[in-house]
């Protein structure tokens, strides 16, 4: 039965049905009509301070919820969210960006409407470059199909889509023709069979096989399958940095994060000395490969991603990642190996030394013990990420970080996006001082929606990651009293720590203060760093100076 | 003589020669090599908190200096500055954006380098949409020509350009082949003659002619010519909002800002009842036309812009705006009219009423008297702009505002860009609370470089401009204690005003405090507004609700 419904209502219902409960953004006159419909729907509008904050929040929301949504005004709104959408594209986060636009009627009347850049298509053409679908709803007849197709593409490809709504289309009636739910894509049976036969044979013949799991395991909801494959095969498993926490880090067969020479030596050796490496859902970036310090012989690899299965140097097209893993589960992978691993235990607590200045290494060692079962760790790029990589994550999908696109300023808005979806998880945020200066004002939104993350500002007085590549005065920043943000926001608890006992005291107070956010200004020496950063910077430095490749 | 020079040095020298003394941005590993060269040059690197802040600062710098420059890293940097570049395109501000990029050598080696989106061209393709030239320097042989051509296009068209430098190109040697300075474009003589003959005839026969001057007068440095034309012809002159201050506002023939029914009634009548309107360098936007409440009969218009001369409904191509104005100066425009205007005087000071709550109207009336000869007024979009439009600007080019693209958050970074170029001008900044929450952290950069703007935060607890179009909870924001920012930044003076005597006290203290910035939290009722906003909102509301056109 076809019931008349407006384009705006159709869009909102489609997003609701796809599982979105919160939409992030800032209103503007070209999108006010749509905002009004959202306000009347079951979806909660979350008003942020900035559009880039809305974008990062919705990206984190998408990683946790399976779909996220930003709604902003034309150009001045949309373009300010673009970098977050680009990051979601790079890291496969299913994000919908909805933008208002001038009405079709008023465009003919006068071309110079405010917020316009070159012509009325400019914003859509830009978003085409960073999305898997960019639709402008300019005809009520086709709008439902455009909306359905865009949302389906977003969910299938786990990459962002763009939907533009001219303001005079919002209330236009369209048929409620919803496309049949698209069939899940299927693997071509013979291709799948051939790839499985070859893979199983390689794994059966391997003496020291290892699985390297990446972020697509999480994006496609394959965590349980992965655990079954790991346990049935008896293979050890490592994860990439972007895929950190796709498998519970206390699992006895879990090795740790593989990131070339940048990571832990025991993990590096286990992976690089394996005689067969099974990559599952890992797209291997320069960061994952430790700035190219990785040394994995391609002739010993099976590499299955959502886009392609590659064995050694030949490719199989069209194979669905889930089918491949399910196929491996049914294959004979050799005699079931005995677990060669002692059950993993939590790292030992760090022993506090009164008056000792805090260092990045001891700080993160201490953090391992600070994490609770209800923690979600959110790490900004830089040493916040490199240091946090060694934390032991208790549950799955509890670690959120832009570990490939590495856009600074992600973490504070991401805490907003994560906790608004999972109010019972308390975000533990690690963010550098430079990154906090970019988007730290979203603590305001965190106050507004009654959330309570604990934010550690790793205050090392500048862009420390870069100091190790090439230093100069441009890596310095003006130092803020980060712990005084609660005075501007009229809520929250601000604390400061120079020494280990001050840190300990701050941790105790932060744990108790659950009514609102806590921001801890943690002072580090500008040249202090994690082991991982130390190794990475050496590699990157060579390349900046034109020596490496 | 050809001396070998590196691509990086060539670029920096070309920018220096074009008159740029400060470059705004944030470093990142793909641009560190170039940053190092900048640090060794005569150009000062100004490190901002955010890339969008760098973009707005450089845009304001360009408006004041004739050319501005941003330098950022690949994608995560560039895309965050995109909206500022788009605004510079829309409002014709000559801005150069330089972006680092992965080295050509490393691209072949591995495609998944951090910060990458889709492919290595993605960022350049995006910037092509918002610039008049987008060059990637991928060959040392052609790099000098690409640089010269891009800078020339930027200066000629007064619109932004994009220059991308792969990091392994920075130190590659290129010939120092500088193109001959391009000849200034020339008008086709016969076309010019015909257009001038027709224009002069219309003006001679007009009984009530009027000139409407726009922002291109400023961008192309034609202010003196305009004053001569105004004085020689005896015609009254009005300005557009974007062109505010292209003529000194105390000039006896100056009428005020024309903005349809949104503006002052006497100006509206003078323009709309004229029997010949000479538009000079004005691109007429919906905001300039008061949300289309304008009523100018096109058969009585002569419209000369940098792109085209249009008389009534026919166009002349290729005419240079300067040539057209110079031609008019030499033409007989009728008997020299007697000045019919009394010399303009400053508006009368507002008389303070103790305990009276401040209102937008009385606030801006008081501000008229607060402006000094060394003030530069910077107004963010919204009621900050509409209210500021009625201020009397003493000198030329002293009013900076994104009055067409209307991107919120422009003003605080713009104060940085304006004052770093003209340290002896003290910026008076009007910014709404919502806009301040977007980019107010650039006060940090203002502290870092020792500047001292006075920033009025018009705190009306939300997006008041939108409340008049369509109100809902989405127009509310969390209220900050804006006057407590100095505590976070460890410098500056924070003040608060609810009443007229508190405001008066704050003004006295702000004037005296010249050592650093002053931020004044000025409390207004959420529904208080300027007259202009009241009129504009009525028009826009009709359109949001689908009734207007």
């Amino acid at each position: 039965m076809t019931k008349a419904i407006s384009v705006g209502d159709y869009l909102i219902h489609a997003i609701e049905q796809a599982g979105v409960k919160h939409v992030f953004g800032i209103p503007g006159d070209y999108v006010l009509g749509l905002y009004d419909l959202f306000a009347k729907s079951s979806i909660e509008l979350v008003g942020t301070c900035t559009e880039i904050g809305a974008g990062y929040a919705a990206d984190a929301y998408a990683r946790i919820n399976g779909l996220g949504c930003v709604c902003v005004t034309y150009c001045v709104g949309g373009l300010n969210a673009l970098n977050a959408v680009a990051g979601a594209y790079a890291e496969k986060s299913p994000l919908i960006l909805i933008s208002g636009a001038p009405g079709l009627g008023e465009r003919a009347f006068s071309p110079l409407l405010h917020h316009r850049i070159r012509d009325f298509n400019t914003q859509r053409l830009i978003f085409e470059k960073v999305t898997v679908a960019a639709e402008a709803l300019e005809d009520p007849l086709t709008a439902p199909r455009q909306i359905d197709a865009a949302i389906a593409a977003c969910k299938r490809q786990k990459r962002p889509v763009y939907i533009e709504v001219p303001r005079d289309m919002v209330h236009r009636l369209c048929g409620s023709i919803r496309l049949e739910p698209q069939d899940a894509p299927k693997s071509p049976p013979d291709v799948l069979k051939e790839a499985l036969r070859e893979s199983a044979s390689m794994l059966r013949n391997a003496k020291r096989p290892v699985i390297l799991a990446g972020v697509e395991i999480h994006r496609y909801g394959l965590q349980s399958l992965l655990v079954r494959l790991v346990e049935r095969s008896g293979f050890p498993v490592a994860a990439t940095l972007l895929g950190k926490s796709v498998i519970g880090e206390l699992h006895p067969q879990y090795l740790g994060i593989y990131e070339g020479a940048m990571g832990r030596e025991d993990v590096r050796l286990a992976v690089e000395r394996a005689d067969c490496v099974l990559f599952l859902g890992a797209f291997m970036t320069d960061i994952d490969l430790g700035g190219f310090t990785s040394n994995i012989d391609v002739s010993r690899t099976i590499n299955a991603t959502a886009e392609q299965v590659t064995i050694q140097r030949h490719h199989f097209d069209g194979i669905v990642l889930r089918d491949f893993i399910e196929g491996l589960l049914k294959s004979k992978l050799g005699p079931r190996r005995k677990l060669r691993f002692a059950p993993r235990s939590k790292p030992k607590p760090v022993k506090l030394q009164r008056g000792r200045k805090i260092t990045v290494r001891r700080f993160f060692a201490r953090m391992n013990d600070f994490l609770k079962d209800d923690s979600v760790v959110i790490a900004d790029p830089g040493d916040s990420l490199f240091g946090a990589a060694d934390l032991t994550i208790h549950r799955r999908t509890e670690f959120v970080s832009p570990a490939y696109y590495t856009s600074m300023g992600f973490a504070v808005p991401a805490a907003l996006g994560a906790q608004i979806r999972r109010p019972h998880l308390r975000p533990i945020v690690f963010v550098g001082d430079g990154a906090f200066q970019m988007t730290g004002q979203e603590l305001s939104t965190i106050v507004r929606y009654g959330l309570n993350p604990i934010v550690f500002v790793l205050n090392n007085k500048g862009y420390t990651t870069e100091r190790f590549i090439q230093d100069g005065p441009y890596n310095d920043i003006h130092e803020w009293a980060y712990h005084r943000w609660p005075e501007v926001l009229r809520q929250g608890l601000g604390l400061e720590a120079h020494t280990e006992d001050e840190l300990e005291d701050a941790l105790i107070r932060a744990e108790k203060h659950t009514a609102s956010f806590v921001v801890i200004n943690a002072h580090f020496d500008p040249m202090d760093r994690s082991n991982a950063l130390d190794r990475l910077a050496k590699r990157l430095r060579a390349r900046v100076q034109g020596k490496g490749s």
Side-chain angles (χ1 to χ4, degrees), chain A:
Chain A
M1 202 186 75
T2 299
K3 203 186 102 207
I5 181 174
S6 71
V7 170
D9 278 326
Y10 188 95
L11 175 60
I12 289 171
H13 290 169
I15 291 166
E16 272 174 341
Q17 277 182 27
V20 170
K21 297 179 191 308
H22 303 82
V23 166
F24 301 84
I26 296 179
D29 69 315
Y30 290 128
V31 79
L32 277 175
L34 208 52
Y35 261 66
D36 215 47
L37 292 185
F38 270 119
K40 291 169 183 158
S41 77
S42 74
I43 289 178
E44 183 174 15
L45 281 169
V46 179
T48 53
C49 296
T50 62
E51 284 91 359
I52 185 69
Y56 290 144
D59 178 349
Y61 187 96
R63 291 173 196 222
I64 279 179
N65 182 56
L67 198 63
C69 184
V70 186
C71 183
V72 289
T73 195
Y74 188 59
C75 292
V76 297
L79 296 192
N80 270 333
L82 180 71
N83 184 53
V85 176
Y89 185 94
E91 299 192 350
K92 296 199 173 179
S93 177
L95 184 64
I96 301 168
L97 184 132
I98 300 171
S99 173
L104 299 181
E106 61 194 316
R107 296 181 194 189
F109 180 71
S110 164
L112 290 186
L113 297 170
H114 61 286
H115 300 344
R116 202 185 68 132
I117 306 165
R118 183 172 268 170
D119 59 45
F120 290 110
N121 286 323
T122 304
Q123 182 172 258
R124 185 178 53 74
L125 293 174
I126 285 172
F127 273 94
E128 272 183 6
K129 306 294 177 198
V130 298
T131 56
V132 290
E135 301 288 341
L137 308 183
E138 299 184 349
D139 181 346
L141 273 182
T142 59
R145 277 167 205 275
Q146 290 176 286
I147 293 166
D148 288 350
I151 295 176
C154 185
K155 294 182 82 161
R156 194 172 56 247
Q157 299 190 54
K158 310 295 179 195
R159 281 188 150 145
V161 297
Y162 171 83
I163 299 175
E164 180 178 301
V165 192
R167 61 176 164 186
D168 56 2
M169 285 292 120
V170 172
H171 298 295
R172 292 283 299 274
L173 293 182
C174 61
S176 67
I177 319 136
R178 296 226 52 181
L179 288 179
E180 293 303 304
Q182 300 195 346
D183 288 336
K186 286 198 176 67
S187 308
D190 293 342
V191 180
L192 177 63
K193 209 163 146 187
E194 187 179 313
L196 282 170
R197 194 187 312 122
E198 190 178 354
S199 301
S201 158
M202 277 177 72
L203 290 165
R204 257 197 316 275
N205 292 325
K207 293 197 170 60
R208 297 178 309 279
V210 67
I211 296 174
L212 190 44
V215 72
E216 287 179 350
I217 295 295
H218 166 245
R219 297 289 193 267
Y220 289 90
L222 305 174
Q223 294 101 324
S224 303
L225 268 186
L226 173 66
V227 170
R228 281 169 55 203
L229 179 66
V230 165
E231 293 180 352
R232 183 160 308 174
S233 67
F235 298 164
V237 60
T240 63
L241 189 53
L242 189 58
K244 181 171 168 70
S245 82
V246 294
I247 183 162
E249 298 197 331
L250 293 176
H251 192 284
Q253 285 164 265
Y254 179 68
L255 298 171
I257 301 293
Y258 175 78
E259 41 187 344
M262 194 173 120
R264 280 200 347 248
E265 186 67 1
D266 58 324
V267 185
R268 186 181 76 78
L269 290 177
V271 172
E272 295 182 4
R273 291 185 180 166
D275 54 356
C276 183
V277 183
L278 173 61
F279 291 88
L280 292 175
F283 42 100
M284 300 305 293
T285 72
D286 57 346
I287 307 265
D288 286 328
L289 297 171
F292 303 129
T293 56
S294 160
N295 188 20
I296 303 176
D297 176 3
V298 76
S299 55
R300 287 180 277 135
T301 61
I302 302 162
N303 187 354
T305 70
E307 271 140 48
Q308 205 169 47
V309 172
T310 301
I311 300 180
Q312 296 175 339
R313 291 168 191 84
H314 51 283
H315 310 294
F316 300 82
D317 291 331
I319 294 177
V320 176
L321 186 56
R322 174 183 293 275
D323 294 344
F324 185 74
I325 299 178
E326 282 176 345
L328 285 178
L329 263 169
K330 290 178 200 144
S331 306
K332 189 166 154 46
L333 301 178
R336 188 184 161 118
R337 286 159 173 83
K338 283 215 176 128
L339 300 189
R340 289 162 296 173
F341 309 94
R344 294 176 67 88
S345 55
K346 276 191 167 190
K348 278 190 199 140
V350 169
K351 203 158 172 195
L352 162 77
Q353 297 182 5
R354 283 197 68 81
R356 179 173 175 167
K357 282 185 70 177
I358 53 175
T359 63
V360 173
R361 286 166 223 202
R362 288 177 58 86
F363 171 79
F364 279 107
R366 173 65 186 89
M367 282 302 108
N368 235 330
D369 198 43
F370 184 68
L371 299 186
K372 305 285 171 302
D373 274 344
D374 69 350
S375 302
V376 49
V377 173
I378 302 181
D380 219 84
D383 221 16
S384 297
L385 170 60
F386 302 136
D390 281 338
L391 293 175
T392 299
I393 304 299
H394 304 180
R395 300 163 34 148
R396 66 190 193 191
T397 78
E398 268 183 328
F399 185 84
V400 178
S401 182
Y404 164 46
Y405 191 61
T406 51
S407 193
M408 282 171 62
F410 176 87
V412 172
L416 162 69
Q419 201 181 18
I420 213 157
R421 185 67 186 89
R422 298 267 184 265
H424 301 298
L425 293 185
R426 189 171 198 188
I428 307 295
V429 178
F430 301 109
V431 55
D433 48 349
F436 186 87
Q437 291 193 3
M438 292 180 173
T439 57
Q441 71 258 53
E442 296 298 349
L443 285 177
S444 170
T445 317
I446 280 167
V447 167
R448 186 171 171 193
Y449 293 91
L451 309 176
N452 67 353
I454 300 174
V455 178
F456 293 92
V457 179
L458 277 68
N459 177 2
N460 47 24
K461 289 82 187 167
Y463 306 121
T464 287
T465 303
E466 289 169 14
R467 294 193 199 281
F468 290 94
I469 305 172
Q470 180 174 286
D471 205 7
Y474 39 80
N475 290 329
D476 300 330
I477 65 175
H478 176 66
E479 189 181 352
W480 295 5
Y482 303 98
H483 54 289
R484 298 193 71 173
W485 261 88
E487 294 165 47
V488 167
L489 297 181
R490 303 178 303 117
Q491 263 201 54
L493 174 65
L495 302 166
E496 202 176 6
H498 295 85
T499 61
E500 293 196 352
D501 41 318
E502 285 172 6
L503 176 64
E504 208 55 44
D505 183 56
L507 295 180
I508 292 165
R509 294 181 61 190
E511 265 188 327
K512 282 191 193 145
H513 181 91
T514 55
S516 61
F517 77 88
V518 180
V519 58
I520 299 175
N521 183 356
H523 292 268
F524 294 95
D525 186 272
M527 297 306 277
D528 187 24
R529 74 276 181 192
S530 67
N531 287 321
L533 173 56
D534 202 32
R535 295 195 189 108
L536 177 68
K538 277 185 189 134
R539 296 290 305 179
L540 292 183
R541 184 161 45 217
R543 204 151 340 119
V544 167
Q545 294 166 353
K547 292 170 205 154
S549 59

